[in-house]
Each structure stands twice: as C-alpha cells, then as structure tokens.
C-alpha cells in the first residue's frame, strides 16, 4: 500500500512539473526576445548617432573648404579685375580714345586682347578653376546681325587636369592672338561673346560703386554655349579709373572640375550654390 501511495505521489508531482515547465519556457523565450529587441534598438540608436556625427563633421569640413576656396577666388578675382581694367585704361590713354569709341575699332580691340591674354593666362594657371575670362562691353562691328548681343573679349579654359603645364584653349577671342601665345582655339570657338547667353548680363553690367572686394558674385549653373558642360562663373566688374563700366571678368568653375576637386562620398558637393557668396 505504501508503495502505491508513493507511486501516485510521484506521478502527481511529475504532472505538476510538466505543467509548470511550459510557462517557464515561454517566459524565458519572452525575456530573450525582449532582451534581443533592446539590444537591437540600442545598436540602431548608436549607429544613427554615429552616422549623424560623421555627417556633421563631414559637412563642417566641406563648408570650411568652400569658404576658403571662394575667399581665394575673391582675392584672385580682385587682382584680375584690377589688372584687366589697367590694361584698358592704358590702351585708351595711349590712343586718346574714350571707351565708347572701342565699338567698330577691331584694331584697338585686337591690340587690347594682345595685351590681356598673357596676364589672363597667368591668372588662370595660378587659380584653382577651369577657366578665366574678360568681357568688354564693345564689339568689332555694330552693323552686323546680332551686334546688340555680341561683345569682344577673351575666354580661356584649361584643357585637362588642373596642373601648371596643362594646355590652354581659347573659347572666345581672336584666334590669331591665341595662336601667337600658344592658346589653341576650342572646338566650339567663336570670336565674340553672346550676352544673350550670358546669365543676367544686364544686371551685372549695372554701374555700382561697391568696392571690388565686395562686388564679386557667383552665377547660377548653366550649360556653356555649344557644349554639354555645366559651369558657374565667378564674376567681378571691370571699371575704369573714372568709374566707367568696361565689362566683366572672372573665373569658370565647371561641374567636372568641381567634382574632380571637391567630390564628397555623401553628395555634399551639390551644395556649392548654397555655400557660395551671395
């Protein structure tokens, strides 16, 4: 009898243990799942914080690079404007002409380009950019069709990587002058600028007494006429000693040049318009 009683007691305890086992296993599974979820959430939170911190640092570095770059362009641009304006002043004084008399004076405009091309090329080689230009508010022939938009000047581009020895190409200006100075014509060469294809030309040509170091600006991005290259122009006015607006000068920043020199792994380089000087 005692044997059967003990056997029944063992069976009852075993049944109770079985009934308790499954809730314990379920509770353990829930605890493990909850712990794994907490771990995953913490990992994702830390990853987000790390990514945000990295992007903030990258953006700060990029912004500093852009500010420093445009400061350098401004210094070089002011020097370029002063040099080109001085060349015009000198030529006009030599010939005892007014600036307005440059219209329909191809010989004088050609002489001006001859004097300007070497300092323009030197400035281009010393500056981190893809091109440099000087545009004079005058044309060789006011009677030709479209003369109201045609303007004389020089536009020189680097033909490849930004190195001191890279060949230069003449995009606008006298081909004879360019060849004399080993600047071969661009495949889309034209003798004069077309101001109707120049962003906000009339706006930039509005006379102003703003000091040169505050007068620079950056155009919107546009396709360079005759090419598929997108560029922005860093502009400054050309002014005579008496304040006469001679034209414009500055530097070209092409899309390919910018990507080559300032590409960012997360695409911050598209912010050039936001970080550029107003």
């Amino acid at each position: 009898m005692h044997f059967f009683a003990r056997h029944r007691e063992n069976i009852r305890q075993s049944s109770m243990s079985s009934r308790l086992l499954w809730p314990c296993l379920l509770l353990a599974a829930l605890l493990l799942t909850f712990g794994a979820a907490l771990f995953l959430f913490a990992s994702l939170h830390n990853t987000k914080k790390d990514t945000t911190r990295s992007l903030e640092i990258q953006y700060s570095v990029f912004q500093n690079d852009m500010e420093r770059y445009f400061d350098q362009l401004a210094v070089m641009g002011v020097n370029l404007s002063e040099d080109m304006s001085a060349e015009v002043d000198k030529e006009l004084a030599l010939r005892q002409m007014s600036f307005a008399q440059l219209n329909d004076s191809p010989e004088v405009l050609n002489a001006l380009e001859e004097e300007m091309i070497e300092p323009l090329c030197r400035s281009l080689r010393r500056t981190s950019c893809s091109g440099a230009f000087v545009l004079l508010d005058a044309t060789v022939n006011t009677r030709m069709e479209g003369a109201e938009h045609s303007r004389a000047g020089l536009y020189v581009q680097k033909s490849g990587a930004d190195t001191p020895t890279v060949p230069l190409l003449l995009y606008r200006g006298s081909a004879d002058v360019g060849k004399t100075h080993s600047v071969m014509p661009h495949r889309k060469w034209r003798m004069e600028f077309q101001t109707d294809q120049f962003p906000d030309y009339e706006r930039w040509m509005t006379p102003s007494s703003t000091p040169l170091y505050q007068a620079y600006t950056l155009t919107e991005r546009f396709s360079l006429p005759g090419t598929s290259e997108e560029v922005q122009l860093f502009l400054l006015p050309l002014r005579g000693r008496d304040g006469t607006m001679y034209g414009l000068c500055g530097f070209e920043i092409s899309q390919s040049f910018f990507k080559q020199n300032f590409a960012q792994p997360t695409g911050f380089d598209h912010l050039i318009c936001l970080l550029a000087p107003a």
Side-chain angles (χ1 to χ4, degrees):
M1 291 293 292
H2 292 295
F3 172 77
F4 288 109
R6 285 198 304 272
H7 185 63
R8 283 197 300 272
E9 182 64 21
N10 289 338
I11 291 173
R12 185 178 66 80
Q13 292 178 355
S14 176
S15 177
M16 289 178 63
S17 298
S18 298
R19 286 196 298 272
L20 289 172
L21 176 64
W22 290 109
C24 289
L25 289 175
L26 180 60
L27 179 61
L30 289 173
L31 288 174
L32 286 173
T33 302
F34 182 69
L38 284 177
F39 177 78
L40 180 60
F41 177 80
S43 298
L44 290 175
H45 182 67
N46 289 335
T47 300
K48 181 180 179 180
K49 285 177 61 178
D50 292 343
T51 302
T52 301
R53 190 180 304 112
S54 297
L55 290 175
E56 288 174 347
I57 293 172
Q58 184 187 345
Y59 179 81
S60 178
V61 171
F62 179 71
Q63 185 175 29
N64 290 336
D65 287 345
M66 288 296 93
E67 290 174 353
R68 186 164 52 250
Y69 176 63
F70 284 111
D71 285 345
Q72 293 169 352
L73 277 186
V75 171
M76 298 302 294
V78 168
N79 291 336
L80 177 64
S81 178
E82 291 175 343
D83 290 346
M84 296 295 100
S85 296
E87 292 293 345
V88 179
D89 283 333
K90 184 175 67 176
E91 195 69 24
L92 293 178
L94 178 67
R95 298 174 183 269
Q96 298 184 332
M97 296 174 63
S98 69
F99 183 76
Q101 291 175 310
L102 286 180
N103 282 307
D104 298 315
S105 301
E107 179 186 345
V108 182
L109 287 170
N110 193 77
L112 262 176
E113 292 185 20
E114 180 69 40
E115 294 299 320
M116 287 176 162
I117 192 167
E118 280 299 327
L120 182 67
C121 290
R122 283 197 301 271
S123 182
L124 173 56
R125 291 193 182 280
R126 293 171 182 168
T127 306
S128 182
C129 63
S130 54
F133 66 93
V134 53
L135 182 157
L136 300 172
D137 196 35
T139 180
V140 296
N141 187 353
T142 58
R143 294 174 297 278
M144 68 179 179
E145 184 180 356
E148 68 274 16
H149 299 301
S150 189
R151 296 294 183 271
L154 295 165
Y155 194 141
V156 182
Q157 293 178 317
K158 294 173 182 175
S159 63
D162 190 7
T163 63
T165 57
V166 64
L168 302 181
L169 297 175
L170 187 71
Y171 180 63
R172 294 291 184 265
S174 168
D176 290 338
V177 170
K179 290 175 183 177
T180 300
H181 295 268
S182 301
V183 183
M184 295 297 105
H186 187 280
R187 60 186 178 83
K188 295 296 183 179
W189 170 87
R190 290 187 65 168
M191 184 172 179
E192 294 198 334
F193 292 82
Q194 296 303 117
T195 58
D196 57 339
Q197 299 174 338
F198 199 99
D200 294 327
Y201 176 75
E202 296 299 332
R203 174 187 170 190
W204 308 132
M205 283 298 298
T206 302
S208 170
S209 58
T210 304
L212 280 178
Y213 65 86
Q214 295 177 336
Y216 55 82
T217 190
L218 190 73
T219 70
E220 64 184 16
R221 192 168 69 180
F222 67 101
S223 294
L224 204 61
T227 77
S228 59
E229 183 70 86
E230 291 197 335
V231 304
Q232 288 183 277
L233 301 180
F234 190 86
L235 293 179
L236 292 99
L238 283 181
R239 298 179 187 143
R241 284 191 293 261
D242 61 356
T244 301
M245 276 293 292
Y246 290 161
L248 302 169
C249 69
F251 302 107
E252 172 201 280
I253 309 166
S254 70
Q255 185 178 39
S256 57
F257 168 85
F258 192 81
K259 285 185 175 180
Q260 179 182 350
N261 290 273
F262 298 104
Q264 300 291 306
T266 52
F268 280 151
D269 44 303
H270 78 284
L271 295 176
I272 181 172
C273 293
L274 301 179
L275 301 174

